[in-house]
Amino acid sequence: MSLPNSAARAGARPGWALALAVTLAGVLAMGVVATLGLWAAGATDIPDGAFPKVVVATVVAAVGGSVELSGSAGRLAGAEGGLTVIPLSVTLVGALVFGAGFLWPLRHRAVAGAGELAGWAARIGALWLLALMGLALGARHTFTLSLGDGLISDLGELFGLEPEVGFTTDAPLTLVFGVLWLAGVLVLALLVTRGVPLPGRVLRFQEAARPAAYAMVALLLAYVVLGVVIALVVAVTRGQPVETLAVVLLGLPNLVWPALTIGTGATWDGRVEGPFALPMPNVLDRVMRSGEVSAVNLGTLGEHDGRVWWLLPLAAVLLSAAACLMAVRSPAGVPLWRQAAHMAVALLLTVLMICLLGRISAAFGLTVLGIGDLGGDLSQQLFLRPRWWGALGLALLWGLVTGFLGALVARWLRRPGELRDAR
């Protein structure tokens, strides 16, 4: 009697109640991580009770939402600024929770039709759309900035300046990107796991797609785990636990995933001007302050800290391990050249994703009577962007080489009786 009941439960389609639980869990998880990270970063000091709205804006930004800055400083002055950064720690937590929640009722299935998968995803998507709309409407606030001391403070008293900074969201754009983010997360979750069957029409693609997707996710998570270990060491040895916690909870992947591309030889362009800067290693901050536009790569970083060169062998080892993992999870008869091609394409897409999500741009400026660049605490700029073609070309090359080597190692690791030679 228990067997039919178990089968019935296994065959039951997930409904709206479970979809609501998955959506709430995902939003709550991102909110908790964002709250703790912003608290550690000192965002509770933002005036006018803006902290809860900043948390909501952080969650919106984490899923690709559009958060826009605005500013004013009275009739005789103007303030302008912009911010483009995705808090990838919050993004990663949300992706893991949504992915696990989506897959949980589908486990142990023998068959899963396209209609059932689409219906289950649509339920989560509809509730996520409602939640995202509420977040987008709630991520709006304006607060007054302190002018500090010096020239700007004197000008403020003379002209009656009260600079205000506000942030808001482009709700339609936020909804579009938020839904696309969720769709990408759910598709990737289906590709990574082998415990959920794919619809019959796409079965022919799973032999190539699933091992490659699993290997790339494992690679990215390995870099995050290493980043957490390094952060713990830094917190213990340098005595900055709160600042380190802020980096881990808000932007650890923003540091370790570009480090993967730098380890393969890629170059990013960056600049930091003024006292404003996002949390980052000291060596990166020094390089980005060294010129108008600084090249950020192994050479320039290594000039300031020789330990950066360890990124090269680290990339070689982890990419080879990912390629071997992909080959082990692939059918035994796949030729070596095809394994190399699969790895090259997978790494190319992964690096493309890193370049898209890892870009940073932040600026704020104050002008009085048409005179800009007054200096002081309110004249600030920061950006970090990749050199696309070099990063993508190197990803293809590394993917081909490590894919071939990983496939060779995988052949040695296969159990006796499995097919070893493929032509």
Side-chain angles (χ1 to χ4, degrees), residues 309-334:
W309 286 101
W310 283 102
L311 292 176
L312 176 59
L314 177 64
V317 170
L318 291 183
L319 286 174
S320 299
C324 182
L325 178 62
M326 183 191 72
V328 168
R329 294 175 68 91
S330 300
V334 178

Side-chain angles (χ1 to χ4, degrees), residues 46 50-58 66-71 83 136 138-143 165-169:
I46 297 178
F51 181 71
K53 301 295 183 68
V54 174
V55 172
V56 175
T58 302
S66 174
V67 179
E68 302 173 352
L69 296 183
S70 61
L83 176 65
R140 301 181 179 189
H141 197 78
T142 300
F143 53 90
V165 174
F167 57 88
T168 185
T169 56

Side-chain angles (χ1 to χ4, degrees), residues 293-308:
V293 179
S294 303
V296 180
N297 53 38
L298 283 173
T300 57
L301 293 172
E303 291 177 359
H304 295 270
D305 191 337
R307 293 173 296 181
V308 172

Side-chain angles (χ1 to χ4, degrees), residues 61-317:
V63 297
S66 174
V67 179
E68 302 173 352
L69 296 183
S70 61
S72 65
R75 291 175 295 178
L76 300 177
E80 59 181 9
L83 176 65
T84 301
V85 59
I86 299 177
L88 290 178
S89 292
V90 182
T91 305
L92 179 60
V93 169
L96 292 175
V97 173
F98 270 106
F102 176 68
L103 295 176
W104 184 76
L106 301 175
R107 69 197 190 285
H108 308 313
R109 290 291 188 90
V111 178
E116 179 183 0
L117 292 177
W120 173 223
R123 289 183 177 91
I124 297 177
L127 295 173
W128 166 242
L129 190 63
L130 293 176
L132 192 60
M133 186 178 301
L135 292 171
L137 294 176
R140 301 181 179 189
H141 197 78
T142 300
F143 53 90
T144 303
L145 288 179
S146 171
L147 292 174
D149 300 321
L151 174 62
I152 291 182
S153 178
D154 296 337
L155 289 173
E157 293 181 2
L158 177 63
F159 295 109
L161 305 180
E162 293 184 354
E164 292 182 339
V165 174
F167 57 88
T168 185
T169 56
D170 184 336
L173 197 60
T174 296
L175 296 179
V176 170
F177 283 113
V179 170
L180 289 176
W181 173 82
L182 179 65
V185 167
L186 300 187
V187 170
L188 185 60
L190 277 177
L191 290 178
V192 169
T193 182
R194 291 192 293 187
V196 176
L198 293 176
R201 294 181 180 179
V202 296
L203 282 176
R204 63 182 182 275
F205 301 111
Q206 71 174 352
E207 291 184 358
R210 277 190 158 173
Y214 184 89
M216 292 301 99
V217 170
L219 174 67
L220 294 177
L221 291 180
Y223 267 87
V224 172
V225 171
L226 285 175
V228 171
V229 172
I230 294 173
L232 291 176
V233 173
V234 170
V236 171
T237 58
R238 298 185 181 179
Q240 296 178 324
V242 177
E243 293 83 353
T244 303
L245 180 64
V247 174
V248 171
L249 292 177
L250 292 177
L252 185 62
N254 296 77
L255 297 176
V256 297
W257 289 349
L260 163 62
T261 67
I262 292 175
T264 62
T267 297
W268 293 60
D269 291 322
R271 182 185 181 187
V272 174
E273 178 185 16
F276 172 68
L278 297 176
M280 63 180 66
N282 291 332
V283 60
L284 180 59
D285 185 74
R286 291 199 301 269
V287 170
M288 292 175 61
R289 292 182 186 274
S290 60
E292 288 293 321
V293 179
S294 303
V296 180
N297 53 38
L298 283 173
T300 57
L301 293 172
E303 291 177 359
H304 295 270
D305 191 337
R307 293 173 296 181
V308 172
W309 286 101
W310 283 102
L311 292 176
L312 176 59
L314 177 64
V317 170

